């Protein structure tokens, strides 16, 4: 299968920890990337190659993968973390990109 | 710094074509694949295809095969995406994006997006 499945929505209390998951067979063979998108803005990569953070991304954001499931964990969620999060990898051919359906994260 | 600046919003009638441009700066244009991703209002990201500016090689999502064409003009560091036979469901924000060079294949820069509205 060349699909990535995410929960449509999650909420987290301010300062608490939340895990956003992404499932798909592709994750057994290819690294996952995670993008954060705020309303009216282009996406921004927050995790690439499973658990690498670009400069400027806070350390409270981390990634992991086990089998066919990738996770993005935000430890001590802040108001500015409220956004849509998309996982991304490659399909079974390795030539095409695929995106998960996105998870809308609300920080309460 | 790396910049991808896209052309402005378009309104098209069903059956028409649209060509979106993506002018880049701040990096060696031929060295990075360019991917196009679209997003309908309130919906998720949908990958459309990519082009290697160095070779001109392209690969498109099956959904868009026969309707999409991605090209580049290296002399002006610009990528283009043309979508034909437009339908109302093609109304979306279209993003060009750059893939990083290195051991990990990920999008490290995005254009600001181009809104395309298809309506009669």
């Amino acid at each position: 299968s060349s699909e990535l499945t995410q929960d449509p929505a999650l909420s987290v209390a301010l300062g608490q920890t939340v895990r956003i998951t992404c499932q798909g067979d592709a994750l057994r063979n290819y690294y996952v990337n995670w993008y954060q998108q705020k309303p009216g803005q282009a996406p921004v990569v927050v995790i690439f190659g499973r658990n690498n953070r670009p400069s400027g991304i806070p350390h409270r954001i981390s990634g992991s993968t086990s089998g066919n499931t990738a996770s993005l964990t935000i430890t001590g969620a802040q108001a500015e973390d409220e956004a849509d999060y998309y996982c991304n990898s490659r399909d079974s051919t390795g030539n095409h990109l695929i995106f998960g359906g996105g998870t809308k994260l609300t920080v309460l | 710094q790396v910049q991808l600046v896209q052309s402005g919003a378009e309104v098209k009638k069903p059956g028409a074509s649209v060509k979106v441009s993506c002018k880049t700066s701040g990096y060696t244009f031929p060295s990075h694949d360019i991917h196009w991703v679209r997003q309908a209002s309130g919906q998720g990201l949908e990958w459309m295809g990519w082009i290697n500016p160095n070779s001109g090689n392209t690969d498109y999502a099956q959904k868009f095969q026969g309707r999409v064409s991605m090209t580049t003009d290296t002399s002006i560091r610009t990528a283009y995406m043309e979508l034909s036979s437009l339908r109302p469901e093609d109304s979306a924000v279209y993003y060009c994006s750059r893939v990083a060079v290195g051991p990990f294949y990920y999008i490290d820069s995005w254009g600001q997006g181009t809104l395309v509205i298809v309506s009669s």
Side-chain angles (χ1 to χ4, degrees), chain B:
Chain B
Q1 75 279 24
V2 174
Q3 284 193 307
L4 290 76
V5 179
Q6 298 182 223
S7 48
E10 303 262 14
V11 179
K12 296 291 183 180
K13 294 196 182 303
S17 297
V18 68
K19 190 170 185 176
V20 179
S21 67
C22 173
K23 185 165 179 61
T24 71
S25 61
Y27 72 96
T28 304
F29 181 66
S31 298
H32 296 256
D33 292 343
I34 294 286
H35 288 246
W36 290 86
V37 177
R38 77 177 188 180
Q39 185 172 37
S41 179
Q43 303 301 307
L45 302 173
E46 182 176 30
W47 181 78
M48 299 181 68
W50 65 272
I51 181 167
N52 180 309
N54 190 44
S55 64
N57 290 343
T58 57
D59 201 354
Y60 305 134
Q62 187 170 4
K63 175 177 181 176
F64 301 103
Q65 289 276 0
R67 281 210 302 146
V68 71
S69 176
M70 295 176 188
T71 57
T72 60
D73 184 338
T74 55
S75 69
I76 56 172
R77 310 167 54 87
T78 300
Y80 302 91
M81 187 284 300
E82 184 169 22
L83 188 62
S84 61
S85 302
L86 289 170
R87 326 187 245 260
E89 53 266 37
D90 291 319
S91 297
V93 174
Y94 289 75
Y95 292 102
C96 63
S97 60
R98 184 191 86 156
V99 167
V101 171
F104 303 112
Y105 200 81
Y106 69 98
I107 295 172
D108 67 354
S109 294
W110 298 72
Q112 83 276 19
T114 295
L115 176 62
V116 175
I117 297 172
V118 183
S119 173
S120 54

Side-chain angles (χ1 to χ4, degrees), chain A residues 46-69:
Chain A
V46 292
I47 293 289
F48 65 91
R50 189 174 299 175
N51 192 22
N52 295 281
R53 262 185 314 273
S55 60
I57 302 302
H59 283 72
R60 65 177 179 272
I61 296 178
S62 63
S64 63
T65 300
S66 177
N68 73 337
T69 301

